[in-house]
Amino acid sequence: MAVTVKSVQPASKAFKKGIQSGDEILTINGNTILDVLDYRFYQDEQRLKLEIRSENGRLRTVRIHKGQYEDLGLEFETYLMDHEHACTNNCIFCFIDQLPTGMRESLYFKDDDSRLSFLFGNYITLTNLSEHEIKRIITMHISPINISVHTTNPELRCRMMHNRFAGEKLSLLSRFDEAGIKMNCQLVLVPGYNDGEELRRTLTDLMAYENVQSVAAVPVGLTKYRENLPALEPFNQQTAGQVIDMMEAFGQESLTKTGERRAYASDEFYLTAKRDIPPASFYGSFDQLDNGVGMWALMRSQALKAIQESEKPQDVEPTILATGMLAAPLMQEIVDKLKERWPMVNCTVLPVRNDFFGERITVAGLVTGGDLIKQLNAIPHGQRLLIPECMLRFENDLFLDNVSVEDVEAQCGVKLIAVPNDAYTLIDALLGKDGN
């Protein structure tokens, strides 16, 4: 196994040593290079010995002296230098299995890749890890890693994930804990499966690990496309409240014992239970922010500060702020506070109902362009439309249903502005200070 060089940056260390496109990097300082983690870890040394195989099959050794963190200047076909590792599970709650047909192909790929966990914060189930990858995580001390645990009951885990190895893979939690690898654990909770006493068992087991940094409980997401899938029920006000009570109890116990509140319920549980979301100080280091844990509190806290620090706007055009049903009350609160300070602000919050996936899906990141167009055109609106950046793919050009930014602008007669998930940027955009 090796990785193949696609191109070499001019004037780089690699270029000066004659490394060319098509060369294969076999080893660095005697360590086999299989992918991006191997390459990034071993190329940081100051003195490197590279074993290289040219396109004609000739083997040679290249020695390079460089700064400790200086890049060699090599580029590869893919960022990972390898194919993404696909998930081998068939979880009863898998969101991808609930997608309708006809969406772009990339949305149907299920990744379960430890490299993406380290590089981008993706969650892994442990079922796809080879012994080589396990040892590499420990040797390189790749930490923290994000793990979809769901339950520590081996039999239940196998049943929920439809993978006969899912239970035995829980033993990796102990191996990583002993190696000092920090772990952020995710529990996708399904009523009647891994909530209640099963949740108590899971939290008891996970809190016993010194290096479990955080545990987040998130509710199962159910679209209207569940034909031929297990019949699952959503959480309601009462059952969501029961989850919160248990997560907060374990979190408080952990805070008392260790000084860290390691167990959290996601914002969605609080909103479903119709309970006040805790203040930002409750969430410590926000280890699971991308999991919807503490996002509301952090945004509110930062937005209120940004409003107080804002300067008087000039000639702000009428604006629509579109978001998902879940975040709409928070956005309305922020807009109301902004209007208290600057009454000339003319902004309407548009909660977009998710007709595409079904009304049970309420997060902004799953709002489609088609739903946005239909519901925006049903109300009076101005020339500016703000949306959270998470509604669009990474290129910021397409919604999930392949509706483009240009489609929305043309059909609604607006200038669409995608705003990053940052309170200061949002306030600037609402005040017309976004450069658009």
Side-chain angles (χ1 to χ4, degrees):
M1 296 291 291
V3 294
T4 303
V5 176
K6 180 183 179 183
S7 61
V8 184
Q9 296 174 5
S12 65
K13 292 288 187 181
F15 181 86
K16 293 176 181 177
K17 287 293 184 175
I19 299 177
Q20 301 177 356
S21 173
D23 284 348
E24 291 183 317
I25 309 300
L26 304 178
T27 67
I28 297 179
N29 290 347
N31 300 289
T32 302
I33 305 302
L34 299 179
D35 57 28
V36 63
L37 290 191
D38 293 329
Y39 177 74
R40 284 181 54 171
F41 186 76
Y42 293 115
Q43 72 116 29
D44 277 346
E45 297 297 322
Q46 293 176 291
R47 294 176 178 269
L48 302 178
K49 183 176 77 170
L50 284 71
E51 290 184 78
I52 295 175
R53 181 167 54 218
S54 301
E55 284 189 289
N56 62 11
R58 184 173 68 89
L59 297 176
R60 72 186 192 277
T61 298
V62 173
R63 297 181 184 275
I64 297 177
H65 292 180
K66 64 177 189 61
Q68 183 171 4
Y69 299 109
E70 183 181 359
D71 190 79
L72 287 175
L74 300 178
E75 297 180 356
F76 302 87
E77 187 66 37
T78 66
Y79 182 78
L80 292 175
M81 306 178 194
D82 186 18
H83 299 295
E84 290 183 31
H85 295 167
C87 182
T88 57
N89 307 310
N90 188 23
C91 298
I92 60 172
F93 49 79
C94 179
F95 194 83
I96 294 176
D97 289 340
Q98 304 177 67
L99 296 179
T101 59
M103 303 177 74
R104 60 179 178 270
E105 186 176 349
S106 61
L107 295 175
Y108 300 99
F109 180 77
K110 304 178 185 180
D111 81 80
D112 193 7
D113 200 317
S114 61
R115 299 165 301 183
L116 296 177
S117 176
F118 176 63
L119 296 170
F120 302 115
N122 294 23
Y123 282 78
I124 58 173
T125 66
L126 305 177
T127 60
N128 205 43
L129 286 182
S130 66
E131 186 60 27
H132 166 78
E133 291 174 299
I134 296 166
K135 290 180 178 178
R136 182 169 67 174
I137 290 171
I138 293 172
T139 299
M140 295 182 179
H141 201 78
I142 296 173
S143 180
I145 57 173
N146 299 323
I147 303 173
S148 291
V149 176
H150 308 315
T151 176
T152 55
N153 179 335
E155 294 77 17
L156 178 58
R157 195 168 197 254
C158 290
R159 182 158 59 94
M160 292 185 71
M161 298 173 69
H162 284 177
N163 186 319
R164 63 191 179 93
F165 302 109
E168 65 185 57
K169 288 292 186 177
L170 288 169
S171 63
L172 294 180
L173 297 175
S174 296
R175 289 182 65 179
F176 292 146
D177 186 59
E178 292 167 4
I181 306 298
K182 297 294 184 182
M183 295 172 279
N184 294 316
C185 299
Q186 176 195 59
L187 312 176
V188 175
L189 297 186
V190 181
Y193 281 84
N194 57 342
D195 58 345
E197 288 307 306
E198 288 292 349
L199 175 58
R200 186 182 306 279
R201 169 180 174 164
T202 297
L203 291 171
T204 300
D205 291 342
L206 292 178
M207 292 295 104
Y209 292 117
E210 179 181 354
N211 288 295
V212 165
Q213 184 169 268
S214 66
V215 180
V218 299
V220 59
L222 303 175
T223 79
K224 64 183 182 182
Y225 301 98
R226 288 196 58 84
E227 296 85 355
N228 303 316
L229 294 175
L232 304 180
E233 292 297 323
F235 281 92
N236 56 36
Q237 182 175 351
Q238 179 182 358
T239 55
Q242 291 168 354
V243 170
I244 293 170
D245 291 340
M246 192 175 298
M247 298 301 293
E248 288 190 350
F250 274 87
Q252 183 59 47
E253 182 180 353
S254 175
L255 181 64
T256 301
K257 290 182 177 178
T258 70
E260 299 289 340
R261 186 190 304 276
R262 297 187 292 160
Y264 303 94
S266 70
D267 295 356
E268 190 170 352
F269 273 117
Y270 284 92
L271 295 170
T272 301
K274 296 180 169 50
R275 296 192 186 183
D276 292 338
I277 290 177
S281 58
F282 179 87
Y283 293 96
S285 300
F286 293 94
D287 293 318
Q288 303 238 21
L289 195 62
D290 288 341
N291 228 343
V293 176
M295 188 176 291
W296 186 296
L298 183 62
M299 176 65 80
R300 173 196 282 148
S301 173
Q302 293 180 342
L304 294 179
K305 185 176 181 182
I307 290 169
Q308 292 306 310
E309 295 174 357
S310 64
E311 298 179 355
K312 185 177 180 179
Q314 300 292 329
D315 302 323
V316 182
E317 294 181 278
T319 301
I320 292 285
L321 173 58
T323 187
M325 301 295 289
L326 190 68
L330 173 61
M331 294 300 105
Q332 188 64 61
E333 179 184 343
I334 290 172
V335 168
D336 290 344
K337 291 291 185 182
L338 186 61
K339 288 180 177 179
E340 286 180 14
R341 179 164 174 78
W342 305 119
M344 69 286 295
V345 170
N346 183 358
C347 178
T348 301
V349 175
L350 172 63
V352 182
R353 185 183 65 254
N354 203 317
D355 294 329
F356 185 88
F357 288 112
E359 293 186 26
R360 289 176 175 175
I361 303 301
T362 58
V363 296
L366 294 175
V367 167
T368 61
D371 284 343
L372 179 60
I373 290 171
K374 180 173 61 177
Q375 294 172 50
L376 179 61
N377 279 334
I379 64 171
H381 58 269
Q383 299 299 307
R384 300 172 75 244
L385 170 64
L386 306 184
I387 66 168
E389 203 172 55
C390 62
M391 285 187 187
L392 304 173
R393 69 174 181 173
F394 290 126
E395 291 85 352
N396 269 11
D397 59 344
L398 288 179
F399 291 83
L400 284 169
D401 55 353
N402 287 330
V403 171
S404 69
V405 168
E406 290 76 15
D407 292 334
V408 175
E409 291 181 328
Q411 295 189 45
C412 299
V414 295
K415 172 63 178 176
L416 189 151
I417 302 165
V419 182
N421 186 34
D422 172 78
Y424 286 87
T425 307
L426 172 62
I427 297 304
D428 280 347
L430 290 170
L431 293 175
K433 299 176 181 179
D434 52 0
N436 290 279

